PDB file of all heavy atoms in Angstrom:
ATOM      1  N   HIS A  89     -10.802  34.930  -3.705  1.00 94.00           N
ATOM      2  CA  HIS A  89      -9.842  35.759  -2.980  1.00 94.00           C
ATOM      3  C   HIS A  89      -8.406  35.264  -3.110  1.00 94.00           C
ATOM      4  O   HIS A  89      -7.451  35.996  -2.852  1.00 94.00           O
ATOM      5  CB  HIS A  89     -10.229  35.850  -1.508  1.00 94.00           C
ATOM      6  CG  HIS A  89      -9.994  34.565  -0.771  1.00 94.00           C
ATOM      7  ND1 HIS A  89      -8.848  34.288  -0.083  1.00 94.00           N
ATOM      8  CD2 HIS A  89     -10.767  33.454  -0.669  1.00 94.00           C
ATOM      9  CE1 HIS A  89      -8.931  33.081   0.440  1.00 94.00           C
ATOM     10  NE2 HIS A  89     -10.074  32.549   0.099  1.00 94.00           N
ATOM     11  N   ASP A  90      -8.250  34.016  -3.514  1.00 96.00           N
ATOM     12  CA  ASP A  90      -6.910  33.487  -3.784  1.00 96.00           C
ATOM     13  C   ASP A  90      -7.067  32.368  -4.797  1.00 96.00           C
ATOM     14  O   ASP A  90      -7.449  31.251  -4.461  1.00 96.00           O
ATOM     15  CB  ASP A  90      -6.246  32.980  -2.502  1.00 96.00           C
ATOM     16  CG  ASP A  90      -4.810  32.544  -2.746  1.00 96.00           C
ATOM     17  OD1 ASP A  90      -4.455  32.214  -3.897  1.00 96.00           O
ATOM     18  OD2 ASP A  90      -4.012  32.538  -1.783  1.00 96.00           O
ATOM     19  N   ARG A  91      -6.734  32.678  -6.029  1.00 96.00           N
ATOM     20  CA  ARG A  91      -7.052  31.775  -7.121  1.00 96.00           C
ATOM     21  C   ARG A  91      -6.152  30.539  -7.191  1.00 96.00           C
ATOM     22  O   ARG A  91      -6.265  29.732  -8.114  1.00 96.00           O
ATOM     23  CB  ARG A  91      -7.055  32.552  -8.446  1.00 96.00           C
ATOM     24  CG  ARG A  91      -8.206  33.587  -8.512  1.00 96.00           C
ATOM     25  CD  ARG A  91      -7.934  34.747  -9.454  1.00 96.00           C
ATOM     26  NE  ARG A  91      -7.403  34.315 -10.741  1.00 96.00           N
ATOM     27  CZ  ARG A  91      -8.084  33.614 -11.650  1.00 96.00           C
ATOM     28  NH1 ARG A  91      -9.333  33.283 -11.402  1.00 96.00           N
ATOM     29  NH2 ARG A  91      -7.522  33.258 -12.784  1.00 96.00           N
ATOM     30  N   ARG A  92      -5.278  30.354  -6.211  1.00 96.00           N
ATOM     31  CA  ARG A  92      -4.527  29.099  -6.153  1.00 96.00           C
ATOM     32  C   ARG A  92      -5.384  27.987  -5.543  1.00 96.00           C
ATOM     33  O   ARG A  92      -5.234  26.814  -5.847  1.00 96.00           O
ATOM     34  CB  ARG A  92      -3.277  29.276  -5.287  1.00 96.00           C
ATOM     35  CG  ARG A  92      -2.168  30.018  -5.973  1.00 96.00           C
ATOM     36  CD  ARG A  92      -1.046  30.287  -5.016  1.00 96.00           C
ATOM     37  NE  ARG A  92      -1.492  31.072  -3.860  1.00 96.00           N
ATOM     38  CZ  ARG A  92      -0.689  31.497  -2.890  1.00 96.00           C
ATOM     39  NH1 ARG A  92       0.602  31.190  -2.926  1.00 96.00           N
ATOM     40  NH2 ARG A  92      -1.131  32.215  -1.886  1.00 96.00           N
ATOM     41  N   TYR A  93      -6.256  28.376  -4.654  1.00 97.00           N
ATOM     42  CA  TYR A  93      -7.101  27.392  -3.968  1.00 97.00           C
ATOM     43  C   TYR A  93      -8.319  27.036  -4.792  1.00 97.00           C
ATOM     44  O   TYR A  93      -8.896  27.887  -5.458  1.00 97.00           O
ATOM     45  CB  TYR A  93      -7.613  27.968  -2.644  1.00 97.00           C
ATOM     46  CG  TYR A  93      -6.553  28.124  -1.599  1.00 97.00           C
ATOM     47  CD1 TYR A  93      -5.818  29.305  -1.500  1.00 97.00           C
ATOM     48  CD2 TYR A  93      -6.292  27.105  -0.696  1.00 97.00           C
ATOM     49  CE1 TYR A  93      -4.851  29.462  -0.530  1.00 97.00           C
ATOM     50  CE2 TYR A  93      -5.325  27.258   0.290  1.00 97.00           C
ATOM     51  CZ  TYR A  93      -4.605  28.440   0.362  1.00 97.00           C
ATOM     52  OH  TYR A  93      -3.657  28.591   1.324  1.00 97.00           O
ATOM     53  N   GLU A  94      -8.712  25.784  -4.682  1.00 96.00           N
ATOM     54  CA  GLU A  94     -10.025  25.454  -5.218  1.00 96.00           C
ATOM     55  C   GLU A  94     -10.809  24.680  -4.171  1.00 96.00           C
ATOM     56  O   GLU A  94     -10.291  23.816  -3.480  1.00 96.00           O
ATOM     57  CB  GLU A  94      -9.939  24.674  -6.533  1.00 96.00           C
ATOM     58  CG  GLU A  94      -8.860  23.650  -6.591  1.00 96.00           C
ATOM     59  CD  GLU A  94      -8.628  23.117  -7.998  1.00 96.00           C
ATOM     60  OE1 GLU A  94      -8.979  23.802  -8.970  1.00 96.00           O
ATOM     61  OE2 GLU A  94      -8.107  21.996  -8.100  1.00 96.00           O
ATOM     62  N   THR A  95     -12.066  25.031  -4.074  1.00 98.00           N
ATOM     63  CA  THR A  95     -12.943  24.352  -3.123  1.00 98.00           C
ATOM     64  C   THR A  95     -13.446  23.071  -3.756  1.00 98.00           C
ATOM     65  O   THR A  95     -13.966  23.088  -4.866  1.00 98.00           O
ATOM     66  CB  THR A  95     -14.144  25.256  -2.786  1.00 98.00           C
ATOM     67  OG1 THR A  95     -13.651  26.490  -2.273  1.00 98.00           O
ATOM     68  CG2 THR A  95     -15.035  24.584  -1.764  1.00 98.00           C
ATOM     69  N   LEU A  96     -13.259  21.984  -3.051  1.00 98.00           N
ATOM     70  CA  LEU A  96     -13.738  20.692  -3.528  1.00 98.00           C
ATOM     71  C   LEU A  96     -15.058  20.375  -2.841  1.00 98.00           C
ATOM     72  O   LEU A  96     -15.165  20.473  -1.620  1.00 98.00           O
ATOM     73  CB  LEU A  96     -12.723  19.601  -3.184  1.00 98.00           C
ATOM     74  CG  LEU A  96     -11.295  19.858  -3.646  1.00 98.00           C
ATOM     75  CD1 LEU A  96     -10.359  18.795  -3.100  1.00 98.00           C
ATOM     76  CD2 LEU A  96     -11.224  19.912  -5.168  1.00 98.00           C
ATOM     77  N   ALA A  97     -16.032  19.989  -3.616  1.00 98.00           N
ATOM     78  CA  ALA A  97     -17.335  19.647  -3.027  1.00 98.00           C
ATOM     79  C   ALA A  97     -17.947  18.487  -3.790  1.00 98.00           C
ATOM     80  O   ALA A  97     -17.737  18.340  -4.988  1.00 98.00           O
ATOM     81  CB  ALA A  97     -18.260  20.859  -3.088  1.00 98.00           C
ATOM     82  N   LEU A  98     -18.710  17.670  -3.096  1.00 98.00           N
ATOM     83  CA  LEU A  98     -19.402  16.569  -3.760  1.00 98.00           C
ATOM     84  C   LEU A  98     -20.560  17.117  -4.584  1.00 98.00           C
ATOM     85  O   LEU A  98     -21.251  18.042  -4.161  1.00 98.00           O
ATOM     86  CB  LEU A  98     -19.934  15.567  -2.729  1.00 98.00           C
ATOM     87  CG  LEU A  98     -18.892  14.825  -1.901  1.00 98.00           C
ATOM     88  CD1 LEU A  98     -19.571  13.774  -1.026  1.00 98.00           C
ATOM     89  CD2 LEU A  98     -17.840  14.180  -2.785  1.00 98.00           C
ATOM     90  N   THR A  99     -20.755  16.534  -5.755  1.00 98.00           N
ATOM     91  CA  THR A  99     -21.955  16.847  -6.535  1.00 98.00           C
ATOM     92  C   THR A  99     -23.133  16.107  -5.923  1.00 98.00           C
ATOM     93  O   THR A  99     -22.963  15.300  -5.006  1.00 98.00           O
ATOM     94  CB  THR A  99     -21.791  16.346  -7.973  1.00 98.00           C
ATOM     95  OG1 THR A  99     -21.574  14.925  -7.926  1.00 98.00           O
ATOM     96  CG2 THR A  99     -20.615  17.011  -8.657  1.00 98.00           C
ATOM     97  N   ARG A 100     -24.309  16.359  -6.450  1.00 98.00           N
ATOM     98  CA  ARG A 100     -25.483  15.633  -5.992  1.00 98.00           C
ATOM     99  C   ARG A 100     -25.231  14.127  -6.106  1.00 98.00           C
ATOM    100  O   ARG A 100     -25.429  13.369  -5.161  1.00 98.00           O
ATOM    101  CB  ARG A 100     -26.695  16.030  -6.861  1.00 98.00           C
ATOM    102  CG  ARG A 100     -28.029  15.475  -6.383  1.00 98.00           C
ATOM    103  CD  ARG A 100     -28.375  16.054  -5.012  1.00 98.00           C
ATOM    104  NE  ARG A 100     -28.888  15.029  -4.112  1.00 98.00           N
ATOM    105  CZ  ARG A 100     -30.164  14.663  -4.041  1.00 98.00           C
ATOM    106  NH1 ARG A 100     -31.065  15.259  -4.787  1.00 98.00           N
ATOM    107  NH2 ARG A 100     -30.553  13.705  -3.206  1.00 98.00           N
ATOM    108  N   GLN A 101     -24.725  13.737  -7.267  1.00 98.00           N
ATOM    109  CA  GLN A 101     -24.436  12.318  -7.507  1.00 98.00           C
ATOM    110  C   GLN A 101     -23.398  11.798  -6.514  1.00 98.00           C
ATOM    111  O   GLN A 101     -23.524  10.705  -5.973  1.00 98.00           O
ATOM    112  CB  GLN A 101     -23.926  12.159  -8.945  1.00 98.00           C
ATOM    113  CG  GLN A 101     -23.928  10.726  -9.435  1.00 98.00           C
ATOM    114  CD  GLN A 101     -23.219  10.579 -10.773  1.00 98.00           C
ATOM    115  OE1 GLN A 101     -22.947  11.560 -11.460  1.00 98.00           O
ATOM    116  NE2 GLN A 101     -22.916   9.341 -11.141  1.00 98.00           N
TER     117      GLN A 101
END
Side-chain angles (χ1 to χ4, degrees):
Chain A
H89 72 94
D90 185 337
R91 293 155 46 67
R92 283 174 301 183
Y93 290 90
E94 40 192 22
T95 303
L96 307 173
L98 296 186
T99 59
R100 187 64 224 273
Q101 195 189 346

